[in-house]
PDB file of all heavy atoms in Angstrom:
ATOM      1  N   GLY A 269      -6.760  58.367 -19.546  1.00  0.00           N
ATOM      2  CA  GLY A 269      -5.496  58.877 -19.001  1.00  0.00           C
ATOM      3  C   GLY A 269      -4.765  57.873 -18.127  1.00  0.00           C
ATOM      4  O   GLY A 269      -3.812  58.223 -17.424  1.00  0.00           O
ATOM      5  N   ILE A 270      -5.190  56.609 -18.155  1.00  0.00           N
ATOM      6  CA  ILE A 270      -4.517  55.580 -17.349  1.00  0.00           C
ATOM      7  C   ILE A 270      -3.337  55.046 -18.173  1.00  0.00           C
ATOM      8  O   ILE A 270      -3.466  54.828 -19.386  1.00  0.00           O
ATOM      9  CB  ILE A 270      -5.518  54.447 -17.007  1.00  0.00           C
ATOM     10  CG1 ILE A 270      -6.650  55.021 -16.146  1.00  0.00           C
ATOM     11  CG2 ILE A 270      -4.829  53.295 -16.297  1.00  0.00           C
ATOM     12  CD1 ILE A 270      -7.852  54.112 -16.004  1.00  0.00           C
ATOM     13  N   LYS A 271      -2.218  54.824 -17.497  1.00  0.00           N
ATOM     14  CA  LYS A 271      -1.000  54.411 -18.221  1.00  0.00           C
ATOM     15  C   LYS A 271      -1.167  53.010 -18.828  1.00  0.00           C
ATOM     16  O   LYS A 271      -1.570  52.063 -18.124  1.00  0.00           O
ATOM     17  CB  LYS A 271       0.192  54.422 -17.256  1.00  0.00           C
ATOM     18  CG  LYS A 271       1.498  54.148 -17.968  1.00  0.00           C
ATOM     19  CD  LYS A 271       2.658  54.246 -17.020  1.00  0.00           C
ATOM     20  CE  LYS A 271       3.921  53.775 -17.728  1.00  0.00           C
ATOM     21  NZ  LYS A 271       4.998  53.536 -16.814  1.00  0.00           N
ATOM     22  N   THR A 272      -0.842  52.891 -20.111  1.00  0.00           N
ATOM     23  CA  THR A 272      -0.906  51.586 -20.780  1.00  0.00           C
ATOM     24  C   THR A 272       0.390  51.365 -21.561  1.00  0.00           C
ATOM     25  O   THR A 272       1.063  52.322 -21.936  1.00  0.00           O
ATOM     26  CB  THR A 272      -2.087  51.507 -21.779  1.00  0.00           C
ATOM     27  OG1 THR A 272      -1.931  52.555 -22.736  1.00  0.00           O
ATOM     28  CG2 THR A 272      -3.437  51.631 -21.093  1.00  0.00           C
ATOM     29  N   ALA A 273       0.698  50.111 -21.784  1.00  0.00           N
ATOM     30  CA  ALA A 273       1.822  49.761 -22.678  1.00  0.00           C
ATOM     31  C   ALA A 273       1.281  48.647 -23.574  1.00  0.00           C
ATOM     32  O   ALA A 273       0.453  48.904 -24.429  1.00  0.00           O
ATOM     33  CB  ALA A 273       3.021  49.321 -21.867  1.00  0.00           C
ATOM     34  N   ARG A 274       1.684  47.383 -23.307  1.00  0.00           N
ATOM     35  CA  ARG A 274       1.022  46.277 -24.033  1.00  0.00           C
ATOM     36  C   ARG A 274      -0.321  45.976 -23.389  1.00  0.00           C
ATOM     37  O   ARG A 274      -1.213  45.387 -23.967  1.00  0.00           O
ATOM     38  CB  ARG A 274       1.905  45.032 -24.002  1.00  0.00           C
ATOM     39  CG  ARG A 274       3.010  45.091 -25.052  1.00  0.00           C
ATOM     40  CD  ARG A 274       3.941  43.920 -24.908  1.00  0.00           C
ATOM     41  NE  ARG A 274       3.231  42.660 -25.029  1.00  0.00           N
ATOM     42  CZ  ARG A 274       3.477  41.597 -24.255  1.00  0.00           C
ATOM     43  NH1 ARG A 274       4.389  41.661 -23.310  1.00  0.00           N
ATOM     44  NH2 ARG A 274       2.818  40.479 -24.446  1.00  0.00           N
ATOM     45  N   GLY A 275      -0.442  46.351 -22.121  1.00  0.00           N
ATOM     46  CA  GLY A 275      -1.694  46.208 -21.385  1.00  0.00           C
ATOM     47  C   GLY A 275      -1.816  47.392 -20.430  1.00  0.00           C
ATOM     48  O   GLY A 275      -1.025  48.345 -20.517  1.00  0.00           O
ATOM     49  N   ILE A 276      -2.764  47.323 -19.518  1.00  0.00           N
ATOM     50  CA  ILE A 276      -2.918  48.407 -18.538  1.00  0.00           C
ATOM     51  C   ILE A 276      -1.887  48.158 -17.436  1.00  0.00           C
ATOM     52  O   ILE A 276      -1.904  47.100 -16.786  1.00  0.00           O
ATOM     53  CB  ILE A 276      -4.349  48.409 -17.957  1.00  0.00           C
ATOM     54  CG1 ILE A 276      -5.385  48.503 -19.094  1.00  0.00           C
ATOM     55  CG2 ILE A 276      -4.521  49.545 -16.964  1.00  0.00           C
ATOM     56  CD1 ILE A 276      -6.815  48.228 -18.649  1.00  0.00           C
ATOM     57  N   VAL A 277      -0.981  49.101 -17.269  1.00  0.00           N
ATOM     58  CA  VAL A 277       0.172  48.878 -16.382  1.00  0.00           C
ATOM     59  C   VAL A 277      -0.268  48.921 -14.905  1.00  0.00           C
ATOM     60  O   VAL A 277      -0.965  49.854 -14.496  1.00  0.00           O
ATOM     61  CB  VAL A 277       1.266  49.935 -16.657  1.00  0.00           C
ATOM     62  CG1 VAL A 277       2.447  49.737 -15.720  1.00  0.00           C
ATOM     63  CG2 VAL A 277       1.710  49.849 -18.116  1.00  0.00           C
ATOM     64  N   VAL A 278       0.120  47.885 -14.152  1.00  0.00           N
ATOM     65  CA  VAL A 278      -0.247  47.827 -12.732  1.00  0.00           C
ATOM     66  C   VAL A 278       0.991  47.561 -11.864  1.00  0.00           C
ATOM     67  O   VAL A 278       1.998  47.053 -12.342  1.00  0.00           O
ATOM     68  CB  VAL A 278      -1.287  46.703 -12.447  1.00  0.00           C
ATOM     69  CG1 VAL A 278      -2.626  47.029 -13.076  1.00  0.00           C
ATOM     70  CG2 VAL A 278      -0.777  45.340 -12.899  1.00  0.00           C
ATOM     71  N   ASP A 279       0.864  47.887 -10.571  1.00  0.00           N
ATOM     72  CA  ASP A 279       1.939  47.599  -9.622  1.00  0.00           C
ATOM     73  C   ASP A 279       1.606  46.352  -8.792  1.00  0.00           C
ATOM     74  O   ASP A 279       0.645  45.636  -9.111  1.00  0.00           O
ATOM     75  CB  ASP A 279       2.206  48.820  -8.722  1.00  0.00           C
ATOM     76  CG  ASP A 279       0.980  49.188  -7.871  1.00  0.00           C
ATOM     77  OD1 ASP A 279       0.056  48.355  -7.768  1.00  0.00           O
ATOM     78  OD2 ASP A 279       0.949  50.301  -7.320  1.00  0.00           O
ATOM     79  N   GLU A 280       2.357  46.121  -7.720  1.00  0.00           N
ATOM     80  CA  GLU A 280       2.159  44.903  -6.907  1.00  0.00           C
ATOM     81  C   GLU A 280       0.790  44.848  -6.241  1.00  0.00           C
ATOM     82  O   GLU A 280       0.346  43.796  -5.817  1.00  0.00           O
ATOM     83  CB  GLU A 280       3.229  44.789  -5.806  1.00  0.00           C
ATOM     84  CG  GLU A 280       4.585  44.324  -6.282  1.00  0.00           C
ATOM     85  CD  GLU A 280       5.455  45.490  -6.693  1.00  0.00           C
ATOM     86  OE1 GLU A 280       4.959  46.638  -6.691  1.00  0.00           O
ATOM     87  OE2 GLU A 280       6.635  45.262  -7.034  1.00  0.00           O
ATOM     88  N   GLN A 281       0.141  46.018  -6.126  1.00  0.00           N
ATOM     89  CA  GLN A 281      -1.212  46.044  -5.529  1.00  0.00           C
ATOM     90  C   GLN A 281      -2.282  45.985  -6.618  1.00  0.00           C
ATOM     91  O   GLN A 281      -3.447  46.179  -6.334  1.00  0.00           O
ATOM     92  CB  GLN A 281      -1.413  47.315  -4.714  1.00  0.00           C
ATOM     93  CG  GLN A 281      -1.435  47.079  -3.217  1.00  0.00           C
ATOM     94  CD  GLN A 281      -0.053  47.059  -2.623  1.00  0.00           C
ATOM     95  OE1 GLN A 281       0.759  47.907  -2.975  1.00  0.00           O
ATOM     96  NE2 GLN A 281       0.219  46.106  -1.765  1.00  0.00           N
ATOM     97  N   LEU A 282      -1.849  45.797  -7.851  1.00  0.00           N
ATOM     98  CA  LEU A 282      -2.729  45.776  -9.020  1.00  0.00           C
ATOM     99  C   LEU A 282      -3.353  47.133  -9.293  1.00  0.00           C
ATOM    100  O   LEU A 282      -4.347  47.246 -10.009  1.00  0.00           O
ATOM    101  CB  LEU A 282      -3.851  44.711  -8.894  1.00  0.00           C
ATOM    102  CG  LEU A 282      -3.481  43.229  -9.091  1.00  0.00           C
ATOM    103  CD1 LEU A 282      -2.445  43.068 -10.196  1.00  0.00           C
ATOM    104  CD2 LEU A 282      -3.036  42.534  -7.870  1.00  0.00           C
TER     105      LEU A 282
END
Side-chain angles (χ1 to χ4, degrees):
I270 297 167
K271 186 177 172 194
T272 58
R274 279 174 58 221
I276 304 168
V277 178
V278 292
D279 62 15
E280 283 90 355
Q281 252 85 44
L282 285 322

